[in-house]
Amino acid sequence: MLNTLLEQSSLFLQQLVNGVTLGSIYALIAVGYTMVYGVIQLINFAHGEIYMLGAFLSFSLVTGFFGIGLPFGLAVVIAVIFCALAGVFLDIVAYRPLRRAPRLAALITAIGMSIFLQNLALLIWGAQIKSFPRAVVPAFLFAPALQFGDVVISWLQVVILTTAVLLMVMLQLIVHYTRIGRAMRAIAQDKTAAALMGVNVDRVVSYTFALGSGLGGVAGILVGLYYNAVYPTMGYFAGIKAFAAAVLGGIGSIPGAILGGGILGLAEVFGGGYISSSYSDGIAYAVMILVILVKPTGLFGRFARDKA
Amino acid sequence: MKNKAMHLDDRLFSDKKLYLPLLAVVLILPWLPMGIAGPYVIRIATLTLVYMVLALGLNVVPGFTGLLDLGYVGFFGIGAYTAGLLTVYYHWSLWLVLPLAALNGALWGILRGAPTLRLSDDYFAIVTFGFSELIILVIKNELWLTRGPMGVPGIARPDLFGIVLNQPWQTYYLIFFFLLLVLWTVVRIRSSRLGRAWFAIREDEIAAECVGVNVARYKIIAFALSAAIGALAGAFYARWFRFIHPDMFKFWESILILCLIVFGGMGSITGALVGALVLIPLTEILRIVLPPEFSNARYLVFGLLIVVMMRWRPAGLLPVEKD
């Protein structure tokens, strides 16, 4: 009796740890959706692909896929910078020309970009699931950091959590205490008024894409390590779940995205563990639809996306 | 003179010079001397006609009412599974199964559409997307009904007056008949009161409401019609292909169908047909021409095409003329 109780509770704790890890990754991606939506009211469908690129680039750089193998840390930094630049490039090439076009045009373009990037990755890297060879990744990541009975927290989980928390804190500092952050908030409130006050809207939007995409890239690398699997469609599923998290938290709100990511990560792990593992992917969709239908502003949202 | 000023969509059925040659080409296609490539060409032609039906059906919602539907393949799947399972379990005739599938599609179209009435464009798109993903998940997991990832093999071929249609040209004419039926329906509706109400909603929903258009009612009709057409195409597909599998109804299919109407021109009936006529054979050609390791990446072309069209020709190749 006591034994089963112990087993149950350690299973519960393990699920909790896994859920929080997953949630912090979703939060990292969700922030990218929510920031872009905040400034230009666009659902950037291609954000999931940026995340996928982060995973692929770091993988390619450490394994020498492009000819030279780099040390792990350097590869990660380069991959993240590349993701940030890719986000900016995406905006300039695809979305900026459509700023004044009907919103449907930009939304369709975003879907087109998402498909384009996903298939580009398929062409470059192939459909086979890639995994990071153990030799190139710092070994301590796979060692357990903490262990209570059956509950194991690996160093990788610790790294994922601390990275996510640090980046979120940094992001909040940028958004609230820097000039560029103030400009972002101003544009989110009223783009025209901000432009009239001398805010260079295009430049701020570029910074927003860079920040969001950089965070997405970090998330991609972390997931690539966590599941030890990198493949072209990884951005599709993670993207949807992170988007659901952003909607749940209230799209446009950064704290909302963080909270939404956490809730969704936990819901997925616990739903998969205790309700039905075959429907664990469905939880994100169901949450997304329910929130949109019942409370479109989400938990902290400002955008009442009713008929404008 | 008057004919020239008319939009292509309206000329499609009224201008003999336009439709007679087209009709002739479609009708004699199976009898052209194609040698060994014959069955293959007819198969591609049949597939193209299926996608024409799908494009016409999808066009009703984003094209006529201006709401972006990202989950159209869900209705294709519902139709295919309704028809496929009824055929496999009860051995019913196509002519019983097909209307039931279309009705089931319409029902789900209404169920999906009703709660979304007050949502704005991008949230509507998200709900449609989530809905179709949920449908695929249900098909994948409810093994007792759908056999899940094993798929449903051995679906009976279409039949007509008790005769089984087992020649490729017979099914080809059959889907052509359904295409004409759907085409006639959407062309007629387009220039009816219903069509004008949809266009009013597309241009400005609030203004439409103000001049007395019952927006909710007309949107629901659009959802039901669009879904029914998608399910009809699915029902035919199941009986023609004789095997259905959840992976056939993935998100990409929705995007492919969307790509057809974006390419041809959203809201344009001729555009939807031309989009399918150009792009579906193109996918098949790409599948053959590209080496196998690249043929999976042929959607790259579609992604790029969508982006380029939106950037330089947002109204498509055959844009709808506006008064």
Side-chain angles (χ1 to χ4, degrees), chain A residues 37 97 103 108-109 111-113 115 118-120 123 236 240 251 278-279 282 285 292-293 305-307, chain B residues 70 115 118-120 122-123 129 133 137 141-142 205 251-252 255 266 294 299-300 303 306-307 310-311:
Chain A
Y37 197 91
R103 283 175 53 169
I108 294 174
T109 301
I111 295 165
M113 279 320 275
I115 291 172
Q118 189 176 318
N119 285 289
L120 191 66
L123 268 184
Y236 172 65
I240 295 160
I251 197 145
S278 45
Y279 279 106
Y285 308 127
I292 288 178
L293 294 183
R305 294 294 327 139
D306 255 12
K307 284 172 213 161
Chain B
L70 291 181
R118 58 192 188 89
L119 295 180
S120 72
D122 38 4
Y123 272 21
F129 161 75
E133 291 292 300
L137 264 182
N141 288 310
E142 299 305 311
E205 199 174 317
F251 177 59
W252 310 122
I255 298 306
M266 266 208 211
F294 293 142
Y299 283 101
L300 181 124
I306 292 184
V307 175
M310 279 295 136
R311 173 74 180 80

Side-chain angles (χ1 to χ4, degrees), chain B residues 175-189:
Chain B
I175 184 65
F176 183 56
F177 165 73
F178 288 130
L179 174 68
L180 285 183
L181 190 76
V182 168
L183 188 59
W184 181 78
T185 313
V186 289
V187 166
R188 296 301 298 161
I189 289 183

Side-chain angles (χ1 to χ4, degrees), chain A residues 89-267:
Chain A
F89 184 70
L90 181 70
D91 173 50
I92 292 176
V93 171
Y95 305 148
R96 188 175 292 174
L98 298 173
R99 262 327 173 249
R100 286 174 202 288
R103 283 175 53 169
L104 215 54
L107 194 60
I108 294 174
T109 301
I111 295 165
M113 279 320 275
S114 159
I115 291 172
F116 173 73
L117 290 173
Q118 189 176 318
N119 285 289
L120 191 66
L122 188 62
L123 268 184
I124 299 176
W125 287 287
Q128 269 203 333
I129 295 180
K130 304 265 187 297
S131 39
F132 284 90
R134 282 286 167 112
V136 297
V137 181
F140 80 94
L141 284 177
F142 299 104
L146 295 162
Q147 194 160 10
F148 318 99
D150 293 339
V151 185
V152 184
I153 306 177
S154 72
W155 272 109
L156 187 56
Q157 287 178 315
V158 174
V159 169
I160 289 174
L161 260 175
T162 26
T163 316
V165 171
L166 281 178
L167 288 175
M168 292 302 166
V169 171
M170 207 183 75
L171 183 67
Q172 285 292 8
L173 292 179
I174 291 176
V175 169
H176 286 281
Y177 299 102
T178 64
R179 233 180 119 75
I180 199 82
R182 192 163 50 202
M184 280 176 198
R185 284 179 290 136
I187 291 176
Q189 273 184 16
D190 188 331
K191 201 195 282 181
T192 322
L196 289 173
M197 295 300 127
V199 176
N200 183 341
V201 175
D202 280 341
R203 210 167 71 97
V204 176
V205 171
S206 287
Y207 272 103
T208 311
F209 267 93
L211 269 176
S213 305
L215 294 179
V218 173
I221 299 169
L222 293 175
V223 167
L225 287 170
Y226 188 49
Y227 290 131
N228 209 3
V230 181
Y231 49 97
T233 49
M234 67 187 285
Y236 172 65
F237 294 106
I240 295 160
K241 286 170 187 166
F243 180 75
V247 169
L248 173 63
I251 197 145
S253 153
I254 294 176
I258 299 171
L259 187 65
I263 294 175
L264 215 65
L266 288 171

Side-chain angles (χ1 to χ4, degrees), chain B:
Chain B
M1 197 58 209
K2 189 170 165 282
N3 253 352
K4 279 214 172 115
M6 271 170 83
H7 186 259
L8 266 178
D9 287 359
D10 300 313
R11 284 172 57 192
L12 210 57
F13 273 112
S14 59
D15 189 346
K16 274 188 188 157
K17 279 191 206 130
L18 197 69
Y19 72 77
L20 278 183
L22 286 176
L23 200 64
V25 170
V26 176
L27 286 181
I28 63 164
L29 183 97
W31 310 111
L32 293 177
M34 289 176 294
I36 199 157
Y40 184 67
V41 172
I42 297 175
R43 202 169 69 80
I44 306 294
T46 311
L47 194 69
T48 307
L49 294 178
V50 172
Y51 275 97
M52 282 182 172
V53 174
L54 285 171
L56 287 177
L58 173 64
N59 191 37
V60 170
V61 171
F64 291 168
T65 65
L67 289 162
L68 184 59
D69 184 337
L70 291 181
Y72 194 59
V73 76
F75 299 122
F76 187 51
I78 287 175
Y81 267 88
T82 310
L85 294 175
L86 287 177
T87 308
V88 168
Y89 290 150
Y90 301 111
H91 310 290
W92 285 347
S93 154
L94 174 77
W95 303 94
L96 180 59
V97 161
L98 199 102
L100 285 176
L103 271 180
N104 197 20
L107 174 74
W108 285 100
I110 294 168
L111 285 179
R112 184 191 81 174
T116 63
L117 286 173
R118 58 192 188 89
L119 295 180
S120 72
D121 33 16
D122 38 4
Y123 272 21
F124 176 82
I126 295 302
V127 169
T128 56
F129 161 75
F131 175 81
S132 83
E133 291 292 300
L134 281 177
I135 285 181
I136 301 309
L137 264 182
V138 170
I139 292 178
K140 248 187 194 152
N141 288 310
E142 299 305 311
L143 301 185
W144 59 275
L145 180 69
T146 63
R147 294 172 43 93
M150 292 175 289
V152 183
I155 301 167
R157 289 180 201 278
D159 56 283
L160 184 65
F161 306 123
I163 303 160
V164 178
L165 305 179
N166 49 16
Q167 294 297 321
W169 62 266
Q170 293 171 327
T171 34
Y172 169 80
Y173 283 143
L174 184 66
I175 184 65
F176 183 56
F177 165 73
F178 288 130
L179 174 68
L180 285 183
L181 190 76
V182 168
L183 188 59
W184 181 78
T185 313
V186 289
V187 166
R188 296 301 298 161
I189 289 183
R190 185 182 175 278
S191 44
S192 73
R193 189 186 158 79
L194 185 56
R196 287 197 303 278
W198 286 340
F199 296 147
I201 294 171
R202 181 182 68 191
E203 298 308 320
D204 191 334
E205 199 174 317
I206 292 169
E209 187 93 60
C210 289
V211 294
V213 175
N214 187 340
V215 171
R217 190 173 146 223
Y218 286 115
K219 273 190 183 176
I220 290 285
I221 296 176
F223 296 151
L225 178 69
S226 169
I229 295 174
L232 181 136
F236 170 83
Y237 189 83
R239 299 285 299 246
W240 170 60
F241 202 70
R242 306 184 62 208
F243 173 67
I244 45 178
H245 187 274
D247 284 350
M248 291 172 171
F249 310 102
K250 280 184 168 173
F251 177 59
W252 310 122
E253 286 294 318
S254 292
I255 298 306
L256 176 60
I257 306 166
L258 182 71
C259 196
L260 305 181
I261 67 170
V262 165
F263 181 76
M266 266 208 211
S268 156
I269 288 169
T270 335
L273 297 178
V274 170
L277 187 64
V278 174
L279 295 181
I280 297 305
L282 181 71
T283 51
E284 292 305 312
I285 292 168
L286 282 179
R287 200 203 297 268
I288 302 165
V289 172
L290 292 175
E293 65 265 34
F294 293 142
S295 72
N296 281 329
R298 64 188 184 283
Y299 283 101
L300 181 124
V301 179
F302 293 99
L304 205 59
L305 193 70
I306 292 184
V307 175
V308 169
M309 290 300 286
M310 279 295 136
R311 173 74 180 80
W312 283 285
R313 278 203 78 125
L317 279 187
L318 301 166
V320 184
E321 285 159 39
K322 298 207 175 143
D323 309 324

